[in-house]
């Protein structure tokens, strides 16, 4: 069979990027750069906020004309919006051929043959797909970083979040499978693996815990660096902190979403920790791993959030001084408890917008200051590819997950080199190769 040309448009988180690479392999296709040349076009969607949802619909809408010109082209929707709306998408979008939920990716070949042979418009959103982790991701030749999924779904049920409804309960992947996938990738030239899971550090299997996974991965020859995302604060254990401290390959960065600095709001969100507990966890991490960079996620304007609550969040931001943060206005998601709260609780959009601006302005200052403070220091950088900042320049990331650009030959791609920081910018650093 001639291999199919596949074009995938990806929205959302790292898990979706990873899933898009699995979809590429599941259809056994050849990736192409434009939808015009493709036999199969798939939009892999995100449902985390209302805006993401809208993007998915406009993403699909724009293929109407292409499909009219190329009726044999197969157009599908995958990801969280596919799971959320299921067959309603087929009614709403007449030029759509199939709907595929995030857990059903291994069923994709079957779906494609049902379309080609039986002219069906299949919807596959079941959760109990036994082969859940079976399809490994496509890997682009020459890429030195890769994701490896260690977990699907989420068991936490934060009151605002749609993830548990569209990705199901937490299922952890067996350790041997994780290691086999990582080893294969290293064999293809990968030097840095990022373990991904919605609450990656809650991973457990046969009595083993996340810290044991970090240690086991560190034994892979040829693997230089290990990252992981996203950590759930309550699941930070001593065993995990000890592994971060002992294992040199583990990068000095953790993404640790706090969501709010107000105990009242944290309780409403069902986050299971207090601000004091979070601060103490940050301290334990920093005591064990000096120079650890911590980034976070914040939601402003959760229903009922007062000025005082927001002030508590700003206070926490000032106390911790996160390396970077992703902040969002609360967006009600269908079926989540927070979407059903009384209208009176809604924070006016202008108020939420003003809070978001204040928080982001503060973060911008801190991030810039932290980058400037690195000037004169030497950082280890894994070179990932050519830099956009001039000829003979390369780009990579520091252990702290900062982008670094510096002069150097393309032959450095895949090596960890030492870079002396000469300039700190708002989102990156510049430097010189040091020997
Ligand atoms: N554990 C996940 C978190 C998924 S959502 C992960 O791997 O990233 C990413 C972030 O989106 C959350 O940390 C939260 O800050 C934000 N978010 C989730 N639901 C939201 C909602 N309904 N409105 C606004 N932001 C939301
Ligand atoms: Fe969402 Fe909370 Fe899980 S933010 S992904 S329900 S940890």
């Amino acid at each position: 069979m001639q291999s199919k040309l596949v074009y995938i448009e990806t929205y959302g988180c790292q898990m979706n990027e990873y899933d898009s690479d699995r979809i590429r392999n599941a259809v056994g296709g050849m990736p192409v750069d434009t939808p015009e040349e493709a036999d199969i076009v798939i939009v892999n969607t995100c449902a985390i906020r209302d805006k993401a949802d809208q993007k998915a619909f406009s993403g699909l809408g724009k293929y109407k004309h292409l499909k009219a010109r190329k009726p044999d082209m197969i157009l599908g929707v995958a990801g969280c919006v596919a799971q959320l709306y299921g067959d309603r998408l087929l009614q709403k979008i007449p030029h759509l051929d199939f709907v595929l939920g995030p857990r059903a990716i291994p069923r994709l070949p079957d779906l494609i043959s049902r379309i080609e042979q039986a002219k069906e418009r299949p919807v596959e959103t079941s959760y109990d797909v036994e082969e859940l982790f079976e399809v490994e991701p496509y890997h682009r030749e020459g890429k030195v970083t890769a994701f490896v999924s260690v977990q699907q779904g989420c068991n936490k049920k934060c009151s605002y979040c749609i993830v548990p409804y569209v990705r199901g309960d937490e299922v952890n992947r067996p350790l041997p499978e994780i290691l086999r996938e990582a080893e294969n990738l290293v064999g293809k030239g990968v030097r840095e693996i990022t373990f991904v899971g919605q609450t990656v550090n809650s991973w457990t299997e046969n009595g083993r815990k996340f810290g044991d996974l970090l240690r086991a991965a560190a034994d892979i020859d040829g693997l230089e660096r290990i990252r992981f995302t996203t950590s759930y604060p309550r699941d930070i254990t001593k065993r995990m902190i000890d592994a971060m401290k002992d294992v040199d390959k583990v990068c000095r960065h953790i993404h640790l979403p706090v969501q709010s600095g107000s105990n009242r709001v944290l309780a409403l969100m069902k986050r299971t920790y207090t601000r004091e507990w979070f601060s103490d966890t940050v301290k334990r991490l920093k005591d064990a791993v000096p120079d650890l960079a911590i980034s976070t996620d914040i939601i402003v304007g959760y229903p009922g959030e007062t000025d005082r609550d927001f002030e508590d969040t700003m206070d926490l931001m000032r106390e911790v001084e996160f390396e970077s943060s992703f902040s969002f206005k609360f967006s009600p998601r269908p079926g989540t408890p927070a979407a059903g709260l009384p209208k009176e609780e809604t924070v006016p959009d202008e108020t939420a917008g003003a809070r978001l601006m204040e928080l982001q302005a503060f973060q911008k200052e801190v991030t810039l200051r932290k980058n400037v403070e690195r000037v004169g220091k030497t950082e280890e950088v894994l070179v990932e590819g050519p830099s956009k900042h001039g000829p003979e320049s390369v780009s990579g990331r520091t252990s702290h997950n900062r982008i670094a650009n510096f002069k150097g030959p393309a032959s450095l791609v895949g090596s960890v080199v030492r870079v002396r920081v000469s300039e700190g910018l708002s989102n990156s650093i510049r430097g010189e190769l040091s020997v």
Side-chain angles (χ1 to χ4, degrees):
M1 196 181 82
Q2 215 187 345
S3 81
K4 296 229 160 44
L5 305 179
V6 197
Y7 179 80
I8 306 181
E9 192 171 318
T10 309
Y11 296 96
C13 64
Q14 288 103 333
M15 191 62 88
N16 261 14
E17 280 180 45
Y18 178 81
D19 281 349
S20 285
D21 281 331
R22 289 172 70 223
I23 292 173
R24 282 186 184 100
N25 262 0
V27 289
M30 282 276 296
V32 288
D33 295 333
T34 65
E36 285 75 18
E37 20 174 355
D39 303 310
I40 305 178
V41 172
I42 299 172
V43 182
N44 192 11
T45 58
C46 169
I48 199 77
R49 285 167 292 273
D50 189 47
K51 261 194 202 142
D53 219 274
Q54 295 311 322
K55 269 193 206 156
F57 284 103
S58 55
L60 284 164
K62 69 176 190 248
Y63 290 116
K64 188 174 164 187
H65 300 295
L66 186 60
K67 177 84 185 173
R69 269 193 285 133
K70 288 176 59 182
D72 287 339
M73 177 189 103
I74 294 176
L75 176 68
V77 58
C80 296
V81 171
Q83 187 73 37
L84 181 61
Y85 299 111
D87 57 6
R88 277 178 286 165
L89 288 166
L90 292 181
Q91 291 155 25
K92 258 188 112 157
I93 308 169
H95 56 284
L96 188 62
D97 295 301
F98 73 86
V99 177
L100 176 76
R103 285 213 178 185
I105 291 171
R107 302 247 167 103
L108 185 54
D110 175 47
L111 240 65
I112 303 282
S113 56
R114 277 160 66 193
I115 300 167
E116 289 179 334
Q117 279 148 35
K119 302 282 170 228
E120 285 180 42
R121 293 175 83 204
V123 176
E124 180 55 272
T125 50
S126 68
Y127 274 162
D128 49 353
V129 175
E130 256 180 48
E131 333 80 286
L132 187 58
F133 292 107
E134 259 172 36
V135 185
E136 294 201 354
Y138 166 83
H139 181 74
R140 184 171 55 75
E141 213 185 302
K143 195 161 169 266
V144 297
T145 61
F147 296 130
V148 171
S149 163
V150 303
Q151 173 185 73
Q152 294 268 1
C154 181
N155 273 354
K156 305 296 188 206
K157 305 232 164 45
C158 303
S159 63
Y160 51 82
C161 185
I162 199 161
V163 170
Y165 305 90
V166 288
R167 286 188 172 264
D169 288 343
E170 177 182 308
V171 181
N172 289 301
R173 189 179 192 185
L175 183 65
E177 271 187 44
I178 298 173
L179 296 179
R180 182 163 27 85
E181 186 169 316
E183 276 161 9
N184 282 344
L185 288 161
V186 170
K188 291 176 183 166
V190 166
R191 294 291 164 257
E192 176 185 297
I193 297 275
T194 302
F195 290 131
V196 287
Q198 299 299 336
T199 55
V200 71
N201 57 328
S202 69
W203 180 89
T204 176
E205 192 235 354
N206 271 337
R208 295 189 194 97
K209 296 281 200 293
F210 186 68
D212 308 320
L213 167 62
L214 293 178
R215 287 181 198 271
D219 288 337
I220 299 176
D221 273 342
L223 178 63
E224 299 267 3
R225 283 179 159 186
I226 302 166
R227 297 184 189 275
F228 50 88
T229 196
T230 299
S231 296
Y232 184 73
R234 191 75 212 193
D235 290 324
I236 303 243
T237 58
K238 181 166 186 308
R239 220 194 282 195
M240 171 180 175
I241 297 179
D242 286 347
M244 289 172 68
K245 178 178 166 186
D246 297 345
V247 181
D248 285 344
K249 290 185 183 181
V250 175
C251 288
R252 293 192 301 281
H253 169 238
I254 186 168
H255 185 60
L256 197 60
V258 64
Q259 313 300 358
S260 170
S262 150
N263 281 335
R264 211 179 64 80
V265 174
L266 285 171
L268 293 172
M269 289 175 164
K270 303 246 176 314
R271 285 294 285 186
T272 72
Y273 53 83
T274 58
R275 176 197 164 151
E276 292 72 26
W277 193 90
F278 183 86
S279 294
D280 185 57
T281 303
V282 166
K283 186 172 177 305
R284 281 161 62 215
L285 282 162
K286 287 195 164 167
D287 284 348
V289 187
D291 200 24
L292 180 73
I294 304 179
S295 56
T296 200
D297 291 346
I298 303 278
I299 297 176
V300 299
Y302 186 82
E305 184 188 70
T306 62
D307 285 342
R308 175 75 203 278
D309 293 320
F310 176 66
E311 210 25 66
D312 287 346
T313 297
M314 286 307 295
D315 200 52
L316 180 74
M317 301 291 289
R318 288 187 283 266
E319 175 196 315
V320 178
E321 297 202 326
F322 294 102
E323 197 84 9
S324 63
S325 62
F326 300 92
S327 43
F328 316 96
K329 275 194 269 185
F330 167 74
S331 164
R333 304 311 291 134
T336 60
L341 293 170
K343 281 256 173 305
E344 309 85 79
E345 303 280 296
T346 306
V347 173
D349 194 52
E350 313 82 80
T351 311
R355 288 177 188 167
L356 191 67
M357 268 174 60
E358 181 181 341
L359 189 136
Q360 291 182 342
F362 174 76
Q363 182 63 58
K364 212 173 152 195
E365 262 174 45
V366 174
T367 302
L368 176 63
R369 172 159 53 74
K370 290 200 174 221
N371 287 347
V372 170
E373 277 168 8
R374 296 237 157 86
V375 172
K377 293 189 178 147
T378 301
E379 303 270 347
E380 289 195 340
V381 175
L382 170 64
V383 185
E384 294 179 24
S387 159
K388 286 175 236 129
H389 301 271
E392 285 296 298
S393 287
V394 287
S395 178
R397 274 173 306 148
T398 67
S399 179
H400 308 104
N401 211 28
R402 263 292 151 250
I403 292 173
N405 291 295
F406 54 98
K407 280 229 178 310
S411 59
L412 289 179
V413 172
S415 312
V416 176
V417 296
R418 290 162 61 76
V419 173
R420 196 167 173 281
V421 183
S422 57
E423 202 180 348
L425 305 165
S426 56
N427 279 315
S428 63
I429 54 170
R430 295 217 180 140
E432 287 117 35
L433 256 181
S434 93
V435 269

